[in-house]
Amino acid sequence: MTDYTNEIQKRRTFAIISHPDAGKTTLTEKFLLYGGAINLAGSVKGKATARHAVSDWMEIEKERGISVTSSVLQFNYDGYCINILDTPGHQDFSEDTYRTLMAADSAVMVIDASKGVEAQTRKLFKVCAMRHIPIFTFINKMDRDANDTFELLDDIEKELGIPTCPVNWPIGSGKKFRGVYDRDTRKVLTFSDTMKGTKEGHIEELDVDDAKIDEVMDPDQKEQLMDEIELLDGASAEFDMEAVSCGKLSPVFFGSALTNFGVETFLQHFLTMTTSPLPRTADCGVIDPMTEDFSAFVFKIQANMNKAHRDRIAFMRICSGKFDAGMEVYHVQGDKKMRLSQPQQMMAQDRHIVEEAYAGDIIGVFDPGIFSIGDTVCTPGNKFAYEGIPTFAPEHFARVRLLDSMKRKQFVKGVNQIAQEGAIQIFQEYMGGMEEIIVGVVGVLQFDVLKYRLENEYNVDIRLENLPYEHIRWIANKEEIDVEKLTGTSDMKKVKDMKGNPLLLFVNSWSVGMTLDRNENLQLEEFSKN
Ligand code: G4P
C-alpha cells in the first residue's frame, strides 16, 4: 500500500449521539485523554461555554471570529487516526446536528442508564438508521442507580427497532456497582471509584472463576451475574459482525464516563469493530475512498457572526484520496476550478491550517459564498456529484412579518441567503408569493439567529409569530397529485418550499394519517431528497 492508502485505512470518523446530559462531553473528554490529546479531562470545552450556546451566538461584543470550535476533534490512538464529529445539542440543536451525521461513518450512542432512550437520541438515531451506518451503544452512569439491564436493552430494541448485543454486562449499579463482565473473555473488569479525571485507574481484570472475585462482589451479586449471563446467552442476538456493519445490530457496552470506567475497553472494541472510511455514492456510481483522486462534499456551512466579515466556512468531508493544501480542485456545482482557501482542521478550541488531509477527514475552508450544502469538489478532470444531503423536517414554524415594508428587497435577499446556508427553511403559501413567508427550523435557537442576523447584517426588523404546526410532510408523488384538490384535516396547511415542492403542515400527528386515508394515491415523506 502506498502512503496515502495507509493513512485512509487508519481513519475512523464517527459522531457521538445522545440526549443532553447523558455524558457525551464527558465520554469525548475521556477518549481524548486516552489519545494523549489532552492531559486532564475537562478541557475539551469549558462547561461554561458548552452551557451558554445561546449567548455564544448573540455576543457580538466578543467580536469573535467564525465559530468553528470543536466541530471535529482529531486524535491518534493505538495506530488509528480518530475524527469525532460534534453533534450540537442543547439549545443549539439544529439541522446542522443532523447534517453532521451525513459526514460520519459510524455513531456512538450514549444512553444514561437511569433514563434509557430519550427524545433527542431517538431523532438522531433515525438519521443514522436511514444511512445504515454501524451504531454502537455505550450505557453510561453505571456508578449511579441504573434501570434494570434487560429493561434498558428492551427499551433500545422497542424504541429504536434495533436488536442489541451486549459485549459486556454490568455487575450492579450505583453504590453496588462492581464492574463489568466481558462475555467474550469471561473476565470481570473491577470498578473502583477512585479515578475521577485521571487515566490511570485501579481496574483489575479477574477471571470469573477466580477466588478473588468474592472479595469484589457479594455472593448474591455473583449468583445474579451468572443467572443473567445464562439468560443472556440463551436470549440475546448472536454477535454478527455483518449485521453490525450495516446498522442492523448494536453492540452494547456499559460503563461510567465520569469515573473513567469501561471507557478504554469500549474504545478498543469499538475501534476494531467500526469501519474505515466508507465508500460514498455519487451520480456516476460508488466512489472508492482509496482512489487516488481527491473528492469531498460540503455538509455544513457556518456563517461568520462578525458583521465586518461576511465570509463563511464550508465544512467538507473528504470522501476519497488525499488533499494537499494549495491543490487545484473542481467545484462541480459551480463548474469552476479553484483552490480551497485557508483549509483548516480543528482540535478542541484550536484551529490550524492543514497541509494535508485524507479520506475520512473533515476540513473547513473559507467560503466567499459559492458553496451550498451538499456540493461536491473533486480533482479536476473528474465530474461527479455526491448524493445530496436530505432536507430534514423542521419541527418549529413561525410566520415572518416585515416591520418596514420599504425594506422588502433586503428582507427577501437576507432570508434567501440565510436559507441557502441551511440555517432555516422557508416556505410560502401554496398559491402565494414572497409576501408571506413561513420559516421552519429544527431547533428554536435558529429563530433568534434569523432575527438577529436580519437586523445586524441586512438592517431589517422582523416579527416572528409562532405557528402551531409540528409535523411536515413532502408529497413524494407530486406529479400524480393535484395539490389544490387535496382534502386534508382542518389543521392542515398547504405550502411550497423554495424549489416549488408542495408540502403539508399539520398540527397533530394523527392528521397525517387521516389525510393519507382521505386521499387514496397520496404518498408523503419526512425527508426531502431534492
Ligand atoms: P452531555 O455532553 O451529553 O450533555 O453530558 P455531559 O458529559 O456534560 O454530562 C452531563 C452531566 O452528567 C455532568 O454533570 C457530568 O459530570 C455527568 N456525568 C457524565 N458521565 C457520568 C457518569 O458516568 N456518572 C455520573 N455519575 N455522572 C456523569 P453536571 O453536574 O451537569 O456537570 P459537572 O458540574 O459535573 O461538570
Side-chain angles (χ1 to χ4, degrees):
M1 275 201 293
T2 57
D3 254 346
Y4 84 92
T5 53
N6 259 332
E7 285 294 334
I8 297 173
Q9 199 65 56
K10 69 186 207 191
R11 259 100 184 134
R12 298 289 182 273
T13 303
F14 64 95
I16 305 185
I17 61 173
S18 70
H19 192 79
D21 278 348
K24 186 182 70 166
T25 312
T26 313
L27 186 68
T28 309
E29 283 166 1
K30 298 300 155 83
F31 282 165
L32 292 180
L33 196 65
Y34 286 112
I38 53 173
N39 297 323
L40 199 67
S43 46
V44 177
K45 45 179 178 184
K47 274 283 144 106
T49 23
R51 292 284 139 84
H52 291 99
V54 180
S55 54
D56 231 28
W57 270 98
M58 296 302 150
E59 264 178 33
I60 20 159
E61 310 92 87
K62 276 193 184 164
E63 288 284 295
R64 64 205 192 100
I66 294 164
S67 165
V68 288
T69 46
S70 67
S71 283
V72 61
L73 300 163
Q74 188 179 66
F75 66 99
N76 294 299
Y77 175 82
D78 202 17
Y80 295 97
C81 176
I82 298 164
N83 292 306
I84 304 183
L85 294 159
D86 188 29
T87 50
H90 295 260
Q91 304 97 320
D92 51 352
F93 188 82
S94 71
E95 242 187 294
D96 275 347
T97 312
Y98 290 139
R99 287 192 196 110
T100 298
L101 297 176
M102 297 291 134
D105 295 313
S106 64
V108 169
M109 176 164 75
V110 182
I111 287 178
D112 182 330
S114 67
K115 303 231 169 89
V117 175
E118 295 175 87
Q120 196 158 301
T121 318
R122 207 174 292 130
K123 290 185 201 169
L124 294 166
F125 176 87
K126 255 194 192 174
V127 178
C128 296
M130 175 183 87
R131 294 197 48 225
H132 308 293
I133 56 173
I135 299 167
F136 299 82
T137 306
F138 185 80
I139 299 190
N140 191 29
K141 304 200 186 181
M142 289 309 298
D143 60 303
R144 293 233 185 112
D145 287 341
N147 293 356
D148 175 79
T149 316
F150 284 107
E151 276 173 25
L152 278 166
L153 298 182
D154 233 36
D155 186 41
I156 295 171
E157 300 194 7
K158 286 210 183 93
E159 284 273 344
L160 306 177
I162 187 169
T164 57
C165 178
V167 174
N168 55 33
W169 192 258
I171 304 160
S173 71
K175 287 202 173 64
K176 299 201 81 179
F177 184 48
R178 297 291 175 263
V180 293
Y181 166 87
D182 187 304
R183 293 179 66 204
D184 187 33
T185 60
R186 291 180 45 84
K187 288 201 190 308
V188 170
L189 292 181
T190 64
F191 169 75
S192 62
D193 186 7
T194 55
M195 46 208 146
K196 276 188 187 163
T198 63
K199 182 169 159 183
E200 264 43 79
H202 306 288
I203 300 174
E204 247 189 298
E205 194 173 7
L206 296 174
D207 198 277
V208 73
D209 301 318
D210 192 320
K212 254 180 101 180
I213 242 0
D214 298 333
E215 293 166 26
V216 178
M217 59 180 107
D218 305 338
D220 54 334
Q221 271 194 309
K222 182 162 179 204
E223 199 185 321
Q224 187 185 349
L225 172 68
M226 296 331 282
D227 286 350
E228 287 179 343
I229 295 302
E230 200 183 323
L231 196 62
L232 190 65
D233 288 345
S236 84
E238 285 231 356
F239 185 78
D240 172 355
M241 200 52 224
E242 217 176 289
V244 172
S245 302
C246 56
K248 290 207 170 108
L249 178 69
S250 182
V252 180
F253 300 79
F254 294 82
S256 157
L258 185 67
T259 57
N260 215 3
F261 180 80
V263 176
E264 190 165 29
T265 180
F266 170 64
L267 185 62
Q268 286 162 345
H269 279 89
F270 166 72
L271 287 171
T272 57
M273 290 180 192
T274 190
T275 171
S276 56
L278 289 173
R280 302 265 168 168
T281 308
D283 52 4
C284 64
V286 174
I287 308 291
D288 181 355
M290 295 292 179
T291 60
E292 206 166 345
D293 286 353
F294 161 82
S295 67
F297 72 89
V298 177
F299 67 93
K300 172 170 149 176
I301 292 174
Q302 176 98 54
N304 191 347
M305 291 301 284
N306 182 340
K307 225 184 359 174
H309 304 115
R310 278 276 176 90
D311 51 348
R312 318 185 291 189
I313 279 198
F315 288 87
M316 297 182 179
R317 149 82 200 221
I318 303 178
C319 301
S320 70
K322 179 185 175 193
F323 170 79
D324 280 306
M327 79 196 285
E328 189 170 61
V329 299
Y330 173 64
H331 174 213
V332 179
Q333 282 75 6
D335 191 21
K336 269 205 178 79
K337 282 190 199 165
M338 59 186 296
R339 278 175 219 286
L340 297 176
S341 167
Q342 300 172 18
Q344 339 184 353
Q345 266 180 336
M346 274 63 66
M347 168 59 223
Q349 262 147 10
D350 300 327
R351 281 195 264 165
H352 62 267
I353 302 290
V354 283
E355 291 304 324
E356 50 193 45
Y358 300 87
D361 288 343
I362 311 298
I363 51 171
V365 306
F366 172 80
D367 171 24
I370 56 170
F371 291 117
S372 293
I373 286 168
D375 279 6
T376 301
V377 289
C378 53
T379 301
N382 290 334
K383 197 173 187 173
F384 59 80
Y386 280 108
E387 269 186 341
I389 292 184
T391 305
F392 298 98
E395 290 167 27
H396 309 276
F397 297 86
R399 182 171 282 121
V400 192
R401 296 260 185 236
L402 174 63
L403 296 186
D404 178 356
S405 57
M406 298 296 283
K407 294 196 173 154
R408 173 120 230 119
K409 222 169 132 194
Q410 294 100 297
F411 169 67
V412 171
K413 184 174 165 212
V415 175
N416 272 307
Q417 279 187 354
I418 296 168
Q420 190 211 346
E421 283 165 21
I424 55 163
Q425 290 179 46
I426 44 183
F427 306 101
Q428 291 161 239
E429 292 283 339
Y430 186 65
M431 294 306 287
M434 284 294 276
E435 58 281 349
E436 172 131 307
I437 291 181
I438 293 173
V439 179
V441 295
V442 167
V444 281
L445 177 65
Q446 297 307 318
F447 283 143
D448 298 341
V449 172
L450 171 69
K451 195 166 180 325
Y452 173 84
R453 290 191 58 192
L454 283 175
E455 276 167 23
N456 283 277
E457 292 173 33
Y458 300 91
N459 199 18
V460 172
D461 289 323
I462 56 158
R463 192 173 64 227
L464 288 159
E465 292 165 5
N466 288 333
L467 294 169
Y469 306 109
E470 284 185 14
H471 307 275
I472 182 169
R473 294 291 184 276
W474 277 266
I475 297 177
N477 55 338
K478 59 181 180 197
E479 288 79 18
E480 298 159 25
I481 297 289
D482 184 347
V483 180
E484 276 180 64
K485 292 210 179 111
L486 273 182
T487 44
T489 47
S490 58
D491 66 329
M492 186 187 89
K493 186 171 182 67
K494 297 172 191 171
V495 293
K496 61 185 175 197
D497 65 16
M498 293 318 286
K499 291 174 185 152
N501 295 315
L503 301 110
L504 304 176
L505 305 181
F506 300 92
V507 177
N508 303 305
S509 61
W510 59 263
S511 304
V512 181
M514 189 84 95
T515 302
L516 281 169
D517 287 347
R518 287 184 184 162
N519 301 276
E520 217 180 297
N521 296 323
L522 182 66
Q523 288 167 23
L524 298 176
E525 59 190 0
E526 275 187 66
F527 305 102
S528 166
K529 290 246 165 63
N530 48 52

